[in-house]
Amino acid sequence: MTARIGVVTFPGTLDDRDTQRAVRVAGAEAVPLWHKDKDLKQVDAVVLPGGFSYGDYLRAGAISRFSPVMESVIEQAKAGMPVLGICNGFQVLTETHLLPGAMLRNDHLHFICREQKLRVESDRTAWTADYTAGQEISIPLKNIDGQYTADERTLDMLEAEGRVAFRYLDGNPNGSLRDIAGITNEAGNVVGLMPHPEHAVEPLVGTGRTDGLGFFTSILKKLVNA
């Protein structure tokens, strides 16, 4: 049976089509999900893609957090469904408190778009099992509200519990505390990161590398072997 991975579209989402394609390239079925629809269409996992949902009005991800679809996503994530938040999706996950911390405007106050080197810190999540801890990958980064922040107690907790999933290498692009590029929840089924793996799954598109494909093959293998 083919794994079904839902990709949510909010008003202002930009990378839903790219994410759907990445899901298909990995070998799963991409299922479009509309933000006003609570029905998750019996998907096995959900991706919240990048963009500027609701124009980042009030705060990035703050309005999307109240979209009807998120009621179902939150419920299912707490029950163990794998959820990946990419860029704006990561911002939404912090707004829902499925992941701790918050996202601030980049410390240099500019939009940034570049290829970004990362170190995989955890291969024990539903979305990172096809990587190895310590592996270095390179995928695109594009954001203006990408500075991850949390209080020291939360940061220490994330470090102690191995919940920092990715860390920036070769320079911190947005001022994120402790060079954190992505984190996971305690159960490992919810992961959020600012860089865009969906733009690095085919050699002829994006960076010309396939370093981001592991996110989608990781979840496919987990679902197939579940």
Side-chain angles (χ1 to χ4, degrees), residues 9 18 40-41 50 69 101 110 114 122 147 161 175 196 206 219:
T9 299
D18 301 73
L40 297 184
K41 301 180 181 179
V69 72
H110 295 289
R114 74 183 197 191
S122 174
Q147 182 183 173
E161 296 181 0
H196 288 260
I219 190 60

Side-chain angles (χ1 to χ4, degrees), residues 2-217:
T2 304
R4 291 164 51 83
I5 300 178
V7 179
V8 178
T9 299
F10 300 98
T13 295
L14 302 178
D15 299 308
D16 45 348
R17 297 295 182 88
D18 301 73
T19 304
Q20 291 172 25
R21 181 170 180 81
V23 168
R24 292 193 295 268
V25 169
E29 178 185 354
V31 180
L33 300 175
W34 184 236
H35 73 112
K36 285 189 175 181
D37 191 353
K38 289 185 179 181
D39 183 8
L40 297 184
K41 301 180 181 179
Q42 298 181 315
V43 297
D44 304 299
V46 170
V47 182
L48 306 177
F52 300 90
S53 61
Y54 292 93
D56 283 346
Y57 187 66
L58 297 181
R59 210 172 41 246
I63 299 178
S64 296
R65 177 260 179 274
F66 295 102
S67 290
V69 72
M70 288 308 300
E71 182 179 330
S72 301
V73 170
I74 292 168
E75 178 183 358
Q76 292 302 311
K78 290 181 178 178
M81 174 182 280
V83 177
L84 174 66
I86 302 170
C87 194
N88 188 229
F90 185 14
Q91 295 161 345
V92 174
L93 289 177
T94 62
E95 291 290 335
T96 62
H97 304 297
L98 285 173
L99 293 176
M103 310 304 301
L104 301 177
R105 184 62 50 98
N106 295 344
D107 61 350
H108 46 73
L109 304 181
H110 295 289
F111 180 84
I112 187 169
C113 181
R114 74 183 197 191
E115 189 171 351
Q116 179 64 49
K117 195 172 183 180
L118 305 174
R119 182 171 62 242
V120 180
E121 299 285 24
S122 174
D123 55 7
R124 300 189 301 276
T125 82
W127 300 92
T128 60
D130 263 4
Y131 298 105
T132 57
Q135 181 178 348
E136 296 181 4
I137 63 175
S138 184
I139 60 178
L141 173 77
K142 49 177 187 174
N143 63 68
I144 193 168
D145 294 297
Q147 182 183 173
Y148 180 75
T149 187
D151 58 52
E152 287 298 313
R153 181 178 180 181
T154 299
L155 292 170
D156 289 343
M157 177 267 292
L158 291 172
E159 301 277 13
E161 296 181 0
R163 291 172 53 188
V164 176
F166 299 92
R167 220 179 292 268
Y168 295 115
L169 294 178
D170 295 345
N172 187 322
N174 45 37
S176 291
L177 297 180
R178 304 193 189 183
D179 298 330
I180 291 175
I183 60 175
T184 178
N185 67 340
E186 187 175 5
N189 63 304
V190 179
V191 171
L193 78 161
M194 287 310 296
H196 288 260
E198 78 280 10
H199 295 324
V201 298
E202 297 177 289
L204 295 180
V205 180
T207 63
R209 304 166 63 103
T210 60
D211 290 10
L213 187 59
F215 284 81
F216 305 98
T217 57

